[in-house]
């Protein structure tokens, strides 16, 4: 390093870099920012100004280097010092895969039946692309793709745009440390990207993995930045001057300590039983994860044993990928129907040869809209790719290229609603067709009733699609308030309806009459008002009356309510037939629980507190616990970070509980939660 005394500017620049990198870590990796964005920006601009005036002070780890504009002529090849290998895949997606791997490892280690179980580090198999991050003296100097394993491509310019990847490692970093891991795109980022593409009438992307792979190889880093990527580390490349931890689990802990993102859903699993349990635990958690995985990876935990096992040509004997059923499958498009949504939106829906994908059998999938269909070029009879990941609705991703046996005409959107025959029209500037029939359209009515009765809305048990279908088709229920006029006699007269079930539904309707204001608002099905907005509105206005009479300006005062949402709410309540529906619901005895007085004056013992729920609680369902916490002013978050105040853990709590313990966060059981809420009587 430079021996001459650092100048003031030089010192200030170093200080700013350290501060900014520290706050970037808190923000992107730990999800626990301590600095308001504006403050961060100020520091950032100060550093930018210094670097502009003193270009010689610019360093590779400067956070200003995350934003770059230059377009490269092509990607430069990078030769990996340590080849990037792949791992054997266990294709048996049942527990047999884990059993076979453990048996192989034991045999190769010469272990006998009575010998103790082998410890494995069990991890997620992220579905993205492998990246090698090279840190020299703690500074990120190069990022390269895997390529053919020997030679990859230099993608440093794009990797720098990934906020989660530290430009400088925390703490004592060795002279050379290559961190290997997976760059991936979260599902919500992917869905949002495609939503934006659809709104613009532009090409949508196939799946998060391909999008991430495309983004990382862009020559123009601005293109990459528009497709937000994430990263998890799982291993190492070249290392110089670092005492390697003795185990894979220890290595991941050490990497986390250096500020590198490491996923929490991992554990040291003992023998076959441990592997099988992890495989099952992750299978159950898979849909709820915010990103795609295509399996889990088991690695012999001890490095010493890893070395003993060694490699078989290009794959380590000490690791295996154990897959899950794929989230994408090919099947035949049998027909295209048009479905009418709650707001009248017409959606082309693919009827499919049933196919097992992402854990369930899928026979319908959305085609989104006619423009996207055209772009994908799908027609009846085609072999198509279906994707079902997480709880996102299955969708048709595209067609498998190939000749069609005969001519198939292109699909056209109907000019009239397939259900009520009202005109179907495209709003100005929108690519969506809508039925103009409004509440007169039985399809819209059915959807509105189903939404109203839904578990997250009025929660009317037993009022499912079969019953709603019957009620609307028979003309028994025309509107939401009509539901509350249903008696046992009317219900029992329906096909396949026993007296007992009829009574149950009447009871459920009665029980639904005291919703929270937020649920009531959500159940009305106002366009743009989802659950979160409904909660925000209820909290802000306190009473239904105030909300119904709020001006656009007053609505805009609600946090997170923008002009589109405000206009939608205002339009809804300015229509007499909507006000009438609300009045009739109230007249039928529905009484949303309003908060008394101006601002809410109930005790709010959890105001400003963030809680995380994990595992199964003895008496409260997850939704019930969340509702109680929110009523008490608290927030429920999906992941544990330094910002978390309490973790409420029930039976079979997993990695969130472990993380809480590491971070020293207070862990409560249900009784502890009730004590906090003051409902422990
Ligand atoms: S370990 C020598 N761990 O799956 C072992 N790989 O062929 C190197 N992957 O190319 C890989 N999650 O991109 C490992 N937790 C994980 C992984 C993982 C995803 C990818 C990786 C690799 C491929 C395996």
């Amino acid at each position: 390093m430079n021996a001459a005394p650092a100048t003031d500017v030089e010192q200030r620049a170093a200080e700013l870099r350290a501060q900014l990198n520290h706050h970037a870590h808190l923000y992107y990796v730990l999800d626990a920012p301590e600095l308001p964005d504006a403050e961060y920006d100020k520091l950032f601009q100060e550093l930018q100004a210094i670097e502009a005036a003193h270009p010689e002070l610019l360093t590779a780890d400067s956070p200003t280097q995350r934003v770059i504009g230059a377009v490269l002529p092509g990607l430069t090849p990078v030769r990996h010092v340590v080849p990037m290998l792949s791992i054997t895949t266990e294709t048996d997606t049942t527990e047999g895969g884990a059993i076979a791997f453990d048996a192989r490892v034991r045999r190769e280690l010469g272990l006998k039946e009575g010998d103790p179980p082998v410890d494995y580090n069990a991890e997620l198999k992220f579905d993205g692309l492998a990246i090698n991050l090279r840190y020299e003296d703690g500074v990120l100097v190069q990022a390269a793709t895997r390529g053919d394993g020997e030679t990859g491509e230099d993608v440093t310019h794009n990797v720098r745009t990934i906020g989660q990847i530290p430009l400088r490692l925390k703490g004592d970093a060795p002279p050379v440390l290559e961190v290997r891991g997976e760059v991936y795109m979260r599902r919500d980022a992917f869905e949002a990207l495609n939503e934006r593409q659809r709104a613009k009438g532009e090409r949508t992307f196939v799946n998060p993995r391909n999008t991430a792979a495309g983004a990382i190889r862009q020559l123009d880093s601005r293109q990459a930045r528009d497709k937000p990527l994430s990263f998890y580390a799982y291993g190492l490349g070249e290392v110089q001057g670092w005492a390697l931890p003795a185990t894979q689990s220890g290595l991941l802990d050490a990497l986390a300590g250096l500020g590198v993102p490491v996923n929490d859903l991992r554990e040291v699993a003992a023998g076959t039983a441990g592997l099988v349990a992890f495989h099952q635990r992750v299978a159950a958690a898979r849909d709820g994860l915010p990103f795609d995985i295509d399996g889990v990876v088991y690695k012999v935990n001890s490095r010493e044993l890893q070395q003993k096992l060694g490699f078989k040509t290009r794959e380590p004997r000490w690791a295996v990928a154990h897959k899950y059923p794929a989230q994408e499958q090919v099947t035949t498009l049998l027909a295209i129907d048009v479905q009418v949504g709650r707001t009248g939106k017409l959606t082309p829906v693919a009827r499919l040869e049933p196919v097992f994908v992402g854990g369930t059998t899928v026979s319908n999938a959305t085609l989104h809209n006619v423009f996207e269909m055209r772009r994908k070029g799908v027609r009846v009879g085609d072999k198509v790719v279906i994707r079902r990941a997480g709880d996102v609705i299955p969708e048709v991703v595209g067609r498998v290229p190939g000749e069609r046996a005969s001519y198939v005409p292109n699909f056209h959107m109907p000019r009239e609603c397939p259900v009520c025959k009202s005109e179907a029209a495209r709003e100005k500037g929108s690519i969506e067709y809508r039925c103009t029939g409004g509440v007169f359209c039985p399809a819209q009515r059915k959807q509105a009733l189903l939404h109203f009765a839904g578990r997250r809305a009025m929660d009317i048990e037993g009022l499912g699609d079969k019953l709603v279908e019957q009620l609307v088709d028979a003309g028994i229920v025309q509107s939401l308030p009509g539901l509350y006029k249903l008696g046992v006699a009317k219900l029992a007269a329906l096909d396949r309806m026993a007296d007992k079930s009829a009574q149950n539904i009447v009871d459920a309707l009665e029980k639904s009459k005291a919703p929270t204001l937020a649920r009531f608002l959500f159940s009305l099905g106002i366009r743009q008002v989802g659950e979160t907005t409904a909660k925000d509105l209820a909290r802000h206005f306190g009473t239904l009356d105030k909300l119904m009479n709020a001006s656009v300006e007053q609505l805009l005062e609600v946090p997170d309510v923008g002009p589109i949402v405000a206009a939608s709410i205002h339009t809804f309540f300015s229509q007499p037939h909507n006000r009438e529906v609300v009045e009739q619901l109230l007249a039928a005895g529905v009484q949303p629980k309003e908060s008394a007085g101006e601002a809410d004056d109930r005790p709010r013992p959890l105001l400003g507190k963030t809680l995380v729920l994990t595992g199964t609680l003895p008496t409260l369902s997850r939704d019930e616990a969340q509702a109680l916490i929110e009523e008490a002013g608290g927030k429920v978050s999906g992941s544990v970070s330094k910002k978390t105040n309490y973790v409420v853990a029930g039976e079979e709590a997993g990695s969130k509980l472990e993380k809480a313990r590491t971070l020293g966060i207070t862990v409560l059981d249900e009784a502890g939660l009730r004590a906090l809420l003051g409902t422990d009587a």
Side-chain angles (χ1 to χ4, degrees):
M1 287 280 334
N2 201 341
T7 63
D8 286 354
V9 216
E10 197 175 344
Q11 226 166 45
R12 179 65 186 152
E15 212 173 88
L16 286 167
R17 276 198 300 272
Q19 278 181 12
L20 288 165
N21 282 331
H22 170 68
H23 288 294
H25 178 70
L26 290 177
Y27 183 90
Y28 290 112
V29 183
L30 300 180
D31 189 22
E34 284 174 359
L35 202 65
D37 290 357
E39 288 302 309
Y40 182 91
D41 292 345
K42 250 201 237 157
L43 298 177
F44 190 91
Q45 282 153 14
E46 187 185 343
L47 181 61
Q48 261 183 334
I50 295 180
E51 289 172 346
H54 306 272
E56 74 281 3
L57 294 182
L58 192 60
T59 60
D61 71 325
S62 175
T64 59
Q65 298 308 293
R66 286 202 194 273
V67 216
I68 354 171
V71 178
L72 304 181
L75 297 175
T76 317
V78 174
R79 200 162 170 84
H80 299 299
V81 181
V82 177
M84 288 181 82
L85 305 176
S86 59
I87 31 182
T88 320
T89 300
E90 196 51 71
T91 42
D92 180 347
T93 59
T94 69
E95 59 180 38
I99 297 169
F101 174 61
D102 184 47
R104 234 171 21 241
V105 169
R106 291 184 73 86
R107 189 169 0 98
E108 276 152 11
L109 288 173
L111 295 176
K112 302 268 163 325
E113 216 168 284
D115 290 334
V118 175
D119 271 348
Y120 297 97
N121 196 53
E123 307 170 7
L124 299 181
K125 187 171 189 302
F126 311 105
D127 200 8
L129 72 153
I131 286 283
N132 185 68
L133 305 174
R134 185 176 175 88
Y135 289 89
E136 290 179 5
D137 295 318
V139 177
L140 176 70
V141 293
Q142 189 180 63
T145 60
R146 177 171 182 275
D148 64 3
E150 302 288 337
T151 308
E153 286 170 318
D154 188 329
V155 290
T156 318
H157 59 296
N158 291 329
V159 166
R160 281 187 195 286
T161 67
I162 305 177
Q164 276 195 331
I165 295 184
L167 298 175
R168 170 182 278 280
L169 297 175
K170 292 201 310 169
D172 276 341
V176 174
L177 183 69
E178 289 187 353
V179 176
R180 289 188 175 163
E182 199 89 346
V183 165
Y184 66 94
M185 185 180 244
R186 288 171 54 106
R187 278 183 204 139
D188 55 0
F190 173 73
E191 295 299 329
L193 173 67
N194 270 351
E195 221 26 76
R196 290 199 296 277
Q197 294 292 104
R198 251 172 241 132
K200 287 190 285 186
E202 282 176 20
R203 178 180 87 90
T204 51
F205 296 90
V206 170
N207 59 37
R209 184 195 51 240
N210 292 3
T211 315
I216 211 77
R217 298 189 67 254
Q218 290 287 338
L219 296 174
D220 178 352
S221 57
R222 274 166 306 200
Q223 295 267 345
R225 213 182 23 181
D226 293 341
K227 304 182 182 70
L229 301 177
S230 306
F231 175 82
Y232 278 128
Y234 52 67
L236 295 175
E238 196 198 1
V239 177
Q240 285 179 30
W242 198 50
L244 282 180
T247 58
Q248 168 70 9
S249 56
L251 168 67
L252 295 183
D253 293 340
L255 290 176
L258 290 169
V260 177
V262 173
N263 186 263
D264 283 335
L265 192 46
R266 58 181 163 109
E267 69 184 28
V268 178
T272 306
L275 295 181
V276 169
F278 184 76
H279 191 254
Q280 286 171 354
R281 178 177 154 212
V282 174
R286 186 186 188 193
D287 267 5
L289 294 174
F291 46 84
D292 284 359
I293 56 168
D294 55 347
V296 288
V297 178
Y298 311 133
K299 298 173 184 171
V300 170
N301 200 28
S302 149
R303 238 165 30 83
E304 199 187 317
L305 292 185
Q306 288 181 4
Q307 276 157 357
K308 233 181 187 172
L309 286 159
F311 294 82
K312 188 182 83 192
T313 56
R314 315 215 19 91
E315 291 159 359
R317 286 203 187 83
W318 44 265
V320 78
H322 192 187
K323 295 254 190 171
Y324 290 117
Q327 288 171 321
E328 281 176 16
Q329 284 296 353
V330 172
T331 188
T332 307
L333 175 56
L334 300 177
I336 298 170
D337 284 351
V338 173
Q339 221 164 49
V340 188
R342 177 164 55 80
T343 58
K345 184 174 149 187
L346 302 188
T347 305
V349 175
R351 304 290 175 217
L352 306 163
E353 186 68 49
V355 64
F356 191 72
V357 50
T360 52
T361 301
V362 168
S363 41
N364 304 306
T366 180
L367 286 157
H368 295 293
N369 64 54
V370 68
F371 300 95
E372 208 173 309
M373 270 178 65
R374 291 276 159 74
R375 215 171 300 110
K376 291 173 181 165
V378 286
R379 299 201 188 176
V380 172
D382 284 350
K383 290 268 176 235
V384 289
V385 178
I386 306 304
R387 176 177 152 86
R388 195 202 84 98
D391 35 29
V392 181
I393 327 168
E395 64 169 341
V396 177
V397 164
R399 79 181 274 256
V400 180
E403 295 279 308
R404 292 187 177 99
S406 60
Y407 171 77
V408 180
N410 222 336
F411 171 82
H412 288 280
M413 215 56 176
R415 290 288 169 265
E416 54 181 38
C417 170
V419 176
C420 73
K421 308 295 173 211
S422 302
E423 191 197 344
R426 199 141 66 88
E427 279 168 32
K428 228 176 110 198
S430 164
I431 57 169
E432 278 155 11
Y433 284 86
R434 276 178 201 282
C435 159
T436 54
V439 284
F440 305 105
C441 173
Q444 289 188 54
R445 236 181 289 151
K446 285 178 194 168
Q447 293 298 327
L449 287 168
L450 276 172
H451 174 78
F452 183 79
R455 200 168 57 84
R456 299 187 161 279
M458 299 293 275
D459 194 17
I460 306 171
E461 228 183 293
L463 200 67
D465 41 7
K466 293 268 154 18
L467 180 55
V468 165
E469 185 98 36
Q470 281 180 300
L471 291 172
V472 173
D473 289 347
I476 299 174
V477 174
Q478 308 282 357
S479 66
L480 303 180
L483 282 175
Y484 291 97
K485 297 206 183 85
L486 284 172
V488 176
K490 250 192 233 166
L491 281 163
L494 292 171
D495 256 6
R496 279 175 309 229
M497 173 70 75
D499 288 357
K500 179 88 179 72
S501 333
Q503 184 59 52
N504 285 347
I505 287 162
V506 171
D507 292 348
L509 280 162
E510 201 52 41
K511 216 177 96 190
S512 75
K513 284 182 176 172
T516 60
L517 178 55
R519 271 179 182 265
F520 182 74
L521 290 174
F522 174 61
S523 72
L524 292 177
I526 307 168
R527 266 166 88 178
Q528 313 287 349
V529 178
E531 262 184 295
T532 314
T533 307
K535 281 178 191 164
D536 290 343
L537 291 168
R539 202 170 299 138
H540 185 86
F541 289 101
T543 73
L544 183 60
D545 209 47
K546 283 208 187 101
L547 169 68
M548 284 176 69
N549 296 313
S551 65
V552 170
E553 290 71 30
Q554 285 166 329
L555 287 162
L556 282 169
E557 283 167 22
V558 181
D560 292 333
V561 168
I564 294 177
V565 181
S568 170
I569 300 166
H570 192 259
T571 310
F572 183 90
F573 285 117
S574 56
Q575 292 183 11
H577 67 266
N578 289 335
R579 294 186 87 95
E580 205 173 302
V581 164
V582 172
E583 271 149 32
Q584 286 175 4
L585 283 171
L586 299 183
V590 175
Q591 246 185 355
K593 278 181 257 166
E594 305 186 328
S595 32
E598 257 307 287
D600 205 333
D601 60 358
R602 283 169 309 165
R604 318 192 79 201
L606 291 181
L607 201 65
K609 300 276 188 252
T610 302
L611 288 84
V612 172
L613 298 168
T614 179
T616 316
L617 299 177
T619 72
L620 291 173
S621 73
R622 187 163 284 249
D623 286 346
E624 285 164 349
Q626 172 157 1
L628 286 174
I629 291 167
E630 286 173 352
E631 260 171 60
K635 260 196 172 167
V636 174
S637 158
S639 61
V640 180
S641 73
K642 280 213 295 198
K643 270 190 304 190
T644 310
N645 298 96
Y646 302 100
V647 169
V648 183
E651 224 165 291
E652 291 190 18
S655 61
K656 291 180 192 171
L657 179 56
E658 287 164 36
K659 183 154 185 195
R661 299 225 162 99
T662 344
L663 292 175
I665 291 160
T666 310
V667 177
L668 306 170
D669 58 5
E670 184 178 313
L673 172 66
R674 287 187 183 276
L676 269 189
L677 293 166
T679 57
D680 53 340

